[in-house]
Amino acid sequence: MADMTTNRSASRRQTLQRGASAALSGLLSGYTALAVAELVASFVRPQAGPVTAVGGAAIDRTPAAVKDFAIRHFGTNDKLVLQLGIVATLGLLAVLLGLFALRRRRTGAAGVLGFGVLGAAAALSRPDASGVADALPSLVGAVAGAVVLYVLIGRLTRPRPGSERAVGLDRRGFLLAAGATALLSTGAGALGRSLTGRLGQGAVASRKAVRLPAPASPAAAVPARASLRVPGISAFTTSNSDFYRVDTALVVPKVDADGWRLRLHGKGVTRPRTYSYQELLSRDLIERDVTLTCVSNEVGGPYVGNARWLGVRLADLLREVGVRPPSRGGPADQLVARSVDGMTLGSPVEDVMDGRDAMLAVGMNGEPLPFEHGFPVRMLVPGLYGYVSACKWIEDIELTTFAAYDPYWVKRKWAPRGPIKTQARIDTPKPFARPPADTTVMVAGVAWAQHRGISGVEIRIDDGPWQRADLAEQDTVDTWRQWSFPWKATSGSHTLTVRATDGAGQLQTDRRAQTIPDGASGWHSVFVTPG
C-alpha cells in the first residue's frame, strides 16, 4: 500500500514537472519567435515586426471611445501599455500551446505557425506596408518558434512507436535545450535591436546636419508681461521635451531628410509638383508662436502646448500649383495630408488659405523638428485640432472634397472639421491641494481659443459670483494666454471654477461634452481644502 502511495506521489510530481516544463517550452517558443522576428525585421523595416504590426492593426480597429480612454488614463504611455498587453497575451497563448503540445506535439507547433500567419496578415494590412517582404518577420519568427516547441516537447517525452503519448522525462536534455534556446534567442533579439538602431543613423545624421535658415518673416518678441511669475503655472513656451505627443505610431518614423519628398496634387491642382527638403528650406520661411491642442484633451487636460514654429506658408505652395479656395471657385474643399506611416488627416482648404499662418513646419523652438514631432516636416493650422491639421512626417498632400474622402479619424466617427473650442485651465493650486488658510493663494492657469484669442477669464469660488481674473499680455491670437487671481483662502472645502471668453466675445460653454466627436467642452474646476 505504501509503495502504491509512493508511486502515485512520484507520478503526480512527474506530471507537474512535465506540465511546468511544457509551459516553459511554450514561453521559450514565443520568445524565440519574437526575437527572430525582430532580427528579420531589422533587414526589412522595424514597422514590420509582429508586435508593431499587430499593435498597429489593433489601433486601427479599436473603437474611438476605447482609444480615448487609453489616452486619458495612460497618456503618452498608451503605446507602451498596448505593446506590453500584446506581449502578455502572446505569452499566455504560448503557455497554453506548450501544454497542448504535450499531447499533440505537431498540432501545438502548427499553432505557433498559425500565429505567425496572423502576424504576417497584420503587417500586410498596414497602410504603410512596403510589400510582401513585410510578412517575412512574422513568418520566419513563427517557423523558428514552432521548431523550438517541437524540439523541447520532444525532450519531455519518450513516445511509444506510433504514439505521441508521453511516458518519460528527459530532464537533463530538456534543460540543456531550453538554456541553449534562451541564450540564442536573446542573442538574436539583441542583434536585431542593434541593427534596427543603425537603420535610423542616416536620418539622425541628416537631422544633425540641418542648419535652419533665418526666417524671412520672424515672430515678434514675446511680450515680457505675457509670462506670469506664478509658481505652478505652465510655462508660456513649452519645451520640445515637454510638448505632448499623441499619435498612432508605435515606432517613431526616422526619415532621412536628404531622401524626403513632398508630393502636392489632386483636384484643382493645375501644376502638380514634388518638393525636396532643401527646396523648402530655400524658400522664404515664416516663424510664429502657435499653441497646438489635441482633440483628445479633456477639460483641464494636459494635451496642449505652445511652441515657436518655423516653416513654409502652406497657402503659398497651394497657390503656386493652382489651388483656389472654395470661396473663390476652387473645386476642392478638403486638403488630405498623408504621413510616411500611412496616417491621413483632412483639413478645410478654406481655413488653410484664409490668411492664417498655416504652415509646413521644419523647426520647433529654434531647432529642427524632433523625430517624435514630425522631422523632417510636419503640418499645422492654427485654430484646428491636431487630428484635422497637424500631420507629422508628412509626405503627400492631395486636394479633394469632404464628400469624396474620409480620412483616418473621420472613418472612426470623429467630426470631419475640428475648430478648437474655447478652454481655460487651472494649473495651480492642484486638485485636492491643502494651501494655508487665511492667506492669499494665487489661482492661475492658461486659456486658449486659437485664431480667436482670449479677451477675458473669470473665476468662481464655490457657488459665489464670477470674478474677473488678471490677464497676462496676449502674445498673438494663436497662442494661449496666462491668467491669475489672488484668492483669500478660508478654511474648509472649496471648489474653484474657471471660464474664458474668446476674442470674438463668445463665452466658453458650460455644457459638458466628451472629446468624441469634436473635442471636450465644459468648465474646469478643482477641489481644495485650505487648512
Side-chain angles (χ1 to χ4, degrees):
M1 188 71 175
D3 290 342
M4 291 180 61
T5 302
T6 301
N7 290 337
R8 287 175 185 164
S9 180
S11 176
R12 189 177 297 111
R13 282 197 304 271
Q14 189 177 56
T15 299
L16 291 174
Q17 289 173 353
R18 187 180 291 116
S21 298
L24 177 60
S25 298
L27 281 176
L28 286 173
S29 170
Y31 181 53
T32 299
L34 293 179
V36 171
E38 187 168 10
L39 177 59
V40 177
S42 68
F43 292 98
V44 179
R45 64 190 192 101
Q47 292 85 348
V51 173
T52 301
V54 171
I59 290 174
D60 288 348
R61 290 160 179 79
T62 298
V66 176
K67 290 181 186 176
D68 203 48
F69 173 87
I71 293 172
R72 286 200 312 270
H73 290 81
F74 303 117
T76 55
N77 293 318
D78 60 336
K79 300 172 186 63
L80 175 61
V81 171
L82 173 63
Q83 291 172 311
L84 290 176
I86 291 173
V87 171
T89 301
L90 290 175
L92 176 60
L93 293 173
V95 167
L96 295 176
L97 281 176
L99 294 171
F100 182 78
L102 267 179
R103 292 182 175 275
R104 298 186 179 276
R105 186 158 54 132
R106 292 176 182 173
T107 305
V112 178
L113 293 175
F115 282 110
V117 171
L118 291 176
L124 294 175
S125 73
R126 305 298 299 130
D128 60 335
S130 59
V132 294
D134 278 13
L136 289 178
S138 292
L139 294 178
V140 175
V143 169
V147 170
V148 164
L149 183 61
Y150 190 84
V151 170
L152 290 180
I153 292 297
R155 295 292 181 179
L156 299 177
T157 62
R158 288 184 297 135
R160 292 192 181 99
S163 171
E164 290 189 354
R165 183 169 175 268
V167 297
L169 175 62
D170 180 6
R171 184 179 295 108
R172 183 173 181 275
F174 173 79
L175 291 176
L176 288 173
T181 297
L183 184 64
L184 291 173
S185 297
T186 300
L191 178 59
R193 286 189 292 274
S194 175
L195 293 174
T196 297
R198 294 179 184 178
L199 287 176
Q201 288 183 349
V204 172
S206 73
R207 182 178 181 275
K208 288 182 177 178
V210 172
R211 297 294 179 268
L212 294 176
S217 175
V222 176
R225 289 180 293 177
S227 184
L228 301 177
R229 296 183 178 180
V230 178
I233 198 172
S234 299
F236 180 79
T237 298
T238 310
S239 68
N240 291 355
S241 59
D242 290 335
F243 209 94
Y244 75 91
R245 178 197 164 201
V246 177
D247 54 55
T248 63
L250 292 177
V251 175
V252 175
K254 295 285 182 69
V255 182
D256 191 323
D258 296 330
W260 175 87
R261 296 293 184 272
L262 173 70
R263 182 184 177 214
L264 211 166
H265 62 106
K267 195 177 184 68
V269 176
T270 59
R271 297 175 294 279
R273 184 170 173 184
T274 298
Y275 296 88
S276 70
Y277 186 67
Q278 288 302 321
E279 284 176 323
L280 292 188
L281 291 186
S282 66
R283 300 177 63 93
D284 289 342
L285 303 183
I286 62 172
E287 181 185 61
R288 298 291 185 267
D289 294 320
V290 179
T291 297
L292 301 187
T293 310
C294 179
V295 73
S296 294
N297 196 46
E298 287 200 319
V299 173
Y303 303 125
V304 56
N306 185 61
R308 175 158 288 191
W309 307 91
L310 177 72
V312 176
R313 196 184 296 275
L314 183 52
D316 291 348
L317 295 181
L318 295 177
R319 279 191 286 267
E320 284 180 10
V321 298
V323 175
R324 289 173 294 132
S327 60
R328 296 190 178 184
D333 61 5
Q334 180 178 210
L335 179 157
V336 175
R338 290 184 173 85
S339 166
V340 299
D341 66 347
M343 174 56 66
T344 56
L345 305 180
S347 308
V349 174
E350 194 69 47
D351 290 353
V352 172
M353 302 186 74
D354 68 358
R356 71 184 74 193
D357 291 315
M359 71 172 79
L360 295 178
V362 296
M364 181 180 184
N365 288 331
E367 64 177 78
L369 292 172
F371 286 108
E372 292 81 0
H373 295 291
F375 181 84
V377 180
R378 71 172 295 166
M379 180 176 147
L380 61 91
V381 182
L384 300 181
Y385 283 118
Y387 83 104
V388 297
S389 66
C391 184
K392 295 186 281 191
W393 315 294
I394 190 172
E395 67 172 2
D396 185 275
I397 294 177
E398 179 182 4
L399 278 298
T400 182
T401 64
F402 283 101
Y405 184 81
D406 288 339
Y408 182 92
W409 292 112
V410 176
K411 291 177 181 176
R412 288 152 181 84
K413 309 304 181 184
W414 293 81
R417 302 169 189 264
I420 292 173
K421 298 178 180 179
T422 303
Q423 285 286 305
R425 184 179 73 194
I426 299 173
D427 288 339
T428 183
K430 298 297 184 185
F432 307 109
R434 299 179 61 87
D438 301 319
T439 62
T440 298
V441 174
M442 290 302 295
V443 184
V446 288
W448 59 90
Q450 289 92 309
H451 207 55
R452 302 186 302 278
I454 293 294
S455 62
V457 172
E458 296 170 291
I459 190 85
R460 183 176 67 186
I461 312 301
D462 300 319
D463 294 322
W466 288 100
Q467 303 176 68
R468 184 166 292 276
D470 297 321
L471 290 177
E473 187 172 346
Q474 182 168 268
D475 180 19
T476 75
V477 295
D478 291 333
T479 63
W480 59 12
R481 194 169 186 180
Q482 295 182 345
W483 59 269
S484 65
F485 178 82
W487 171 46
K488 184 69 172 180
T490 58
S491 60
S493 300
H494 299 283
T495 299
L496 314 179
T497 305
V498 67
R499 67 183 185 184
T501 300
D502 69 17
Q506 284 293 112
L507 180 66
Q508 176 184 343
T509 179
D510 64 339
R511 185 179 66 85
R512 298 291 297 192
Q514 297 298 313
T515 56
I516 300 171
D518 60 356
S521 67
W523 296 335
H524 185 219
S525 61
V526 297
F527 180 80
V528 297
T529 54

